[in-house]
Amino acid sequence: MSACGVDVAGSAAGLVSICLTAFRGCVQAFEIIHSATHFVSEADSFRCKLELEQYKLMQWAERIGLEKQPEQHLNWSLIADTLKQLQSLLSDTQSLKSKYCLELVQIESDTSEQETGASHNTSFSKLLDKLRPNSRLSSPRIIHNGNGVAKKLKWAAFDKEKAAKLVDDIVYFNHSLFSLLDSVNQEFLRSALASVLRDIIYRSNATSELEIIKQLLRSTYTATSEAVSSAATLKQIRLALSQGYDANRAEESASEPSPRNFIPKLCRLEPALLQRQSAESPVEGREIAHYKSSPVIIEWKLIDWSDQESQKELKLRVEQIAILLAHTDDASLHSLPCIGVLPSDEAYKPRDGKLICHGLVFGLTYLGPASALSWPVIQPLSSLYSEARKPSLNERRNIALALTEAVLQLHTSGWLHKGIRSDNVLFIGNGDSGWESGGTFGPYLAGYEYARPVNHRSEAVTAIPEHEIYQHPRGQGRGRENFRRSFDLFALGCVLLELSLWSNLVDILQRELSESTQNGCPGKEFKDLTVHSKGLAEVDWMRLHSTKKQLLQNDDPKKRGELANVAFHAGETFQKAILLCLYAAEDNRGDEDRGDGLGADEDMGDGDISVQKEVVDLLRQCRF
């Protein structure tokens, strides 16, 4: 190596050493600031923001290998300048006092915790440390002065607005460091940050913590912050409803944000303003109608009128679902906006008089003004497999991704769908615009009539063979287990399997049954066993359910059967996403229930949403 090359290498090594020293100084300064005692209650948000910015800085350093094998192509001179400015910002006590009105003073270490303040950690910090136990460096919280006498710090003055300005300045320097990375590393950090914030939302059980997370998302560089923030709001809604929030209640909690700030108002619609296509009494299911001259979709739910206790509980659940689905600000929920509920009415009582209907009403105003002669057309995914137009693999992947994002949002916020199947995936056309012409809106995940929060009592689903085929085997029969997130994932996996092969699940299982039977009985002739050739009335449902169980017992699903065909039709990445969904319950991943699913909130259990996140990531990686 020439002398010039040695000088360059030495200069680069020197810059990296300067960067490492400044980085460690930043981390220690972060620890000193957010471990200071005597924080006033309104400073919780400030401390959480500091903890997030420290986490982002440390993830950035880990990504570039600052302490191990630093990347050589980076602009280390600019990184050094930025880190030194950030260190100065955090550690200059005179500047903190004069510019941000934040004054730190020392106190003796033997001062009791009761006198100096409560725990140094916020709930956010504890959740972050639990999720990423190695995310923090070991840095002392006790500062030793020149005489070796242990000292602690406390805040003598704290200005909320000036503290917010300090956070903004820290965000600026963190973002400057982030912008020096290449696009691959930037995307990695975006995804990692969104993932950890989503995990914190999943595990948080306080609306105040979720409100702080939503504030944190406004200063992050993740492209998915809108979806993660929406999940936080959905979780807030779920927690408030689970705690018995009453929209008419006057009192508010001083420590919790008012539910009025994030819970949409429940709208009870007037039956007199509804124009239905049929004069017949409604049945459980879905229909198109007009409300105030605008097109709507109604999902009817039948409730036993004779059981007063059950009627009250299920009516409340319908209203809760309506409130949940009224929150559709973010497209990642992939649901039609619920404009309200149709309350029980004599006109909606079925003929036997024992059941009564409640209706969830979804708006379709984007389709244009309604008229008596123009009714929107609902086309469920299950009806499209026999249509002439066959979607591209890219289009099918987009449908799969939309459904998976919706399930991720629901599960993050603590809701179970319980009705995922292809006839609840809707495409909506208007007039001559439909699937064949490529003019439909969608996909929209519908069929929420049995949806519930994870900690609410489970309701038995109406036994319909073509619906039960999507249910996990452990969720069926006399000894069925309580419904859980992994059962939703199984149903999602069934729909993804349909999309990959562009065939309905019954046909897929019929082919699987035919192949396994043929392999077991060589020489015997078999004909095509499809729904189109035989019809649902002739389907042997018991054998199909047995075949479904065998899919989960396949020792190598990638090499044989219909699951093996997925790799050929849609690629190995798509196949992996399907297998993750189908086998989630067997792997004990994606679950939080540890018993009967009743009573206390299970979100702080051993389960997680790693499967849901991984499936979303895999489908995003698919390139065709």
Side-chain angles (χ1 to χ4, degrees):
M1 181 182 291
S2 66
C4 181
V6 172
D7 291 341
V8 171
S11 176
L15 283 172
V16 171
S17 178
I18 292 172
C19 290
L20 183 57
T21 301
F23 166 72
R24 288 174 174 168
C26 290
V27 172
Q28 186 179 39
F30 267 119
E31 292 285 342
I32 292 171
I33 291 175
H34 70 60
S35 66
T37 60
H38 275 300
F39 262 100
V40 290
S41 59
E42 59 264 27
D44 282 347
S45 175
F46 171 69
R47 295 179 72 178
C48 288
K49 290 175 182 177
L50 283 179
E51 287 158 2
L52 180 64
E53 293 308 314
Q54 179 184 355
Y55 174 79
K56 287 162 61 177
L57 176 65
M58 296 177 68
Q59 293 301 296
W60 169 87
E62 181 180 337
R63 187 63 182 173
I64 66 170
L66 182 58
E67 293 195 295
K68 296 179 179 179
Q69 294 181 325
E71 295 186 10
Q72 298 301 313
H73 67 278
L74 296 174
N75 188 336
W76 288 104
S77 176
L78 189 52
I79 290 175
D81 289 341
T82 305
L83 285 172
K84 285 190 290 186
Q85 290 181 69
L86 178 58
Q87 181 185 13
S88 176
L89 173 70
L90 293 167
S91 58
D92 188 339
T93 56
Q94 291 301 317
S95 178
L96 288 173
K97 180 178 178 180
S98 61
K99 189 175 180 180
Y100 303 106
C101 295
L102 299 173
E103 183 179 1
L104 282 167
V105 296
Q106 291 183 334
I107 56 176
E108 294 295 336
S109 63
D110 58 356
T111 304
S112 68
E113 187 70 21
Q114 185 175 3
E115 294 174 353
T116 58
S119 170
H120 296 321
N121 291 330
T122 62
S123 298
F124 174 86
S125 175
K126 293 174 182 177
L127 288 171
L128 184 59
D129 286 341
K130 183 175 181 180
L131 291 166
R132 299 290 186 272
N134 299 320
S135 66
R136 296 183 185 274
L137 294 179
S138 299
S139 58
R141 290 182 178 273
I142 297 178
I143 301 175
H144 298 272
N145 65 11
N147 297 323
V149 180
K151 299 286 185 179
K152 285 186 178 181
L153 298 177
K154 75 171 185 178
W155 290 104
F158 182 86
D159 184 289
K160 186 177 180 180
E161 292 184 1
K162 295 294 181 64
K165 177 64 169 62
L166 172 61
V167 172
D168 289 341
D169 291 343
I170 295 171
V171 169
Y172 169 80
F173 286 115
N174 260 347
H175 188 74
S176 297
L177 293 169
F178 172 81
S179 64
L180 295 173
L181 305 180
D182 58 36
S183 59
V184 173
N185 282 324
Q186 287 186 12
E187 181 56 36
F188 176 88
L189 290 177
R190 286 193 189 98
S191 299
L193 181 59
S195 178
V196 73
L197 289 175
R198 187 176 285 277
D199 282 335
I200 290 174
I201 292 169
Y202 168 77
R203 292 179 178 272
S204 177
N205 283 309
T207 56
S208 56
E209 292 175 0
L210 294 165
E211 194 65 29
I212 290 175
I213 292 171
K214 287 159 66 175
Q215 295 176 22
L216 297 178
L217 284 162
R218 299 188 187 110
S219 64
T220 64
Y221 44 67
T222 170
T224 57
S225 59
E226 187 177 356
V228 179
S229 180
S230 178
T233 300
L234 291 173
K235 182 69 174 282
Q236 285 180 309
I237 293 171
R238 202 269 289 173
L239 290 174
L241 294 175
S242 295
Q243 294 162 6
Y245 169 70
D246 184 353
N248 299 315
R249 188 176 60 189
E251 62 268 18
E252 302 289 355
S253 170
S255 62
E256 293 285 303
S258 170
R260 291 187 178 89
N261 296 333
F262 50 79
I263 293 187
K265 182 180 179 181
L266 175 65
C267 185
R268 293 182 174 86
L269 306 181
E270 294 292 335
L273 300 177
L274 183 69
Q275 180 187 359
R276 299 177 60 225
Q277 287 180 292
S278 172
E280 296 289 329
S281 296
V283 296
E284 189 162 73
R286 188 179 297 120
E287 71 169 291
I288 287 280
H290 286 166
Y291 186 80
K292 291 184 177 179
S293 301
S294 294
V296 295
I297 291 177
I298 307 173
E299 289 191 342
W300 296 105
K301 182 178 181 66
L302 298 182
I303 297 175
D304 189 346
W305 179 257
S306 61
D307 186 344
Q308 294 294 320
E309 183 178 351
S310 176
Q311 179 198 163
K312 182 178 179 181
E313 179 182 352
L314 296 180
K315 177 184 176 183
L316 178 61
R317 187 171 295 177
V318 170
E319 293 178 348
Q320 290 179 341
I321 295 169
I323 290 173
L324 166 73
L325 297 178
H327 177 73
T328 52
D329 295 339
D330 179 63
S332 60
L333 192 57
H334 298 283
S335 172
L336 292 166
C338 184
I339 64 173
V341 295
L342 282 166
S344 57
D345 187 270
E346 275 302 311
Y348 302 149
K349 186 179 292 186
R351 293 187 181 90
D352 60 14
K354 295 181 180 179
L355 301 175
I356 195 163
C357 283
H358 288 269
L360 289 166
V361 182
F362 299 89
L364 302 173
T365 53
Y366 55 83
L367 293 176
S371 69
L373 299 177
S374 177
W375 294 81
V377 178
I378 306 174
Q379 293 183 277
L381 177 62
S382 56
S383 71
L384 303 181
Y385 298 130
S386 58
E387 294 286 332
R389 185 174 84 83
K390 307 300 180 186
S392 68
L393 187 52
N394 193 56
E395 187 176 356
R396 284 181 276 151
R397 170 263 190 188
N398 290 340
I399 297 171
L401 179 58
L403 299 178
T404 308
E405 287 176 340
V407 172
L408 175 60
Q409 288 293 81
L410 290 170
H411 287 183
T412 301
S413 54
W415 291 85
L416 301 174
H417 188 280
K418 294 189 65 179
I420 299 173
R421 55 181 186 269
S422 55
D423 70 329
N424 278 333
V425 179
L426 306 183
F427 295 83
I428 302 169
N430 188 22
D432 297 331
S433 173
W435 174 261
E436 287 298 329
S437 62
T440 54
F441 296 87
Y444 299 107
L445 182 60
Y448 283 88
E449 59 266 30
Y450 292 101
R452 65 170 176 87
V454 292
N455 59 337
H456 281 204
R457 186 180 301 276
S458 189
E459 176 188 4
V461 178
T462 303
I464 301 175
E466 54 266 38
H467 295 175
E468 290 182 310
I469 202 67
Y470 291 87
Q471 297 174 14
H472 193 281
R474 282 162 44 190
Q476 295 178 288
R478 185 171 299 176
R480 64 177 178 270
E481 298 177 16
N482 191 65
F483 199 90
R484 59 198 64 195
R485 284 185 174 98
S486 60
F487 292 180
D488 261 349
L489 284 173
F490 178 83
L492 174 65
C494 290
V495 177
L496 299 189
L497 179 62
E498 290 182 331
L499 287 167
S500 67
L501 302 176
W502 199 244
S503 177
N504 68 62
L505 184 61
V506 175
D507 280 356
I508 293 171
L509 293 176
Q510 292 274 31
R511 292 196 298 269
E512 182 83 14
L513 174 62
S514 176
E515 180 180 342
S516 62
T517 307
Q518 188 171 12
N519 290 338
C521 304
K524 188 175 180 180
E525 293 184 0
F526 293 90
K527 58 183 178 180
D528 181 27
L529 300 175
T530 65
V531 170
H532 308 308
S533 62
K534 295 189 67 176
L536 286 175
E538 299 182 46
V539 171
D540 188 337
W541 294 106
M542 291 188 64
R543 295 189 72 189
L544 286 194
H545 281 293
S546 177
T547 303
K548 181 176 66 175
K549 289 182 181 180
Q550 291 174 11
L551 284 177
L552 299 178
Q553 298 167 357
N554 191 339
D555 55 352
D556 195 352
K558 291 184 179 182
K559 291 187 177 180
R560 59 188 178 86
E562 288 296 301
L563 288 173
N565 293 334
V566 174
F568 173 76
H569 288 278
E572 292 182 350
T573 304
F574 207 130
Q575 182 192 53
K576 183 178 179 180
I578 293 171
L579 292 174
L580 280 172
C581 291
L582 294 178
Y583 287 85
E586 277 55 48
D587 294 339
N588 293 318
R589 297 172 64 194
D591 279 335
E592 75 297 322
D593 291 337
R594 302 181 300 280
D596 58 6
L598 307 178
D601 197 321
E602 297 90 352
D603 282 359
M604 292 300 291
D606 295 330
D608 56 35
I609 49 171
S610 59
V611 175
Q612 293 88 329
K613 293 189 298 180
E614 187 174 355
V615 174
V616 168
D617 290 341
L618 285 170
L619 292 174
R620 285 175 179 163
Q621 293 169 21
C622 290
R623 296 289 184 269
F624 306 115

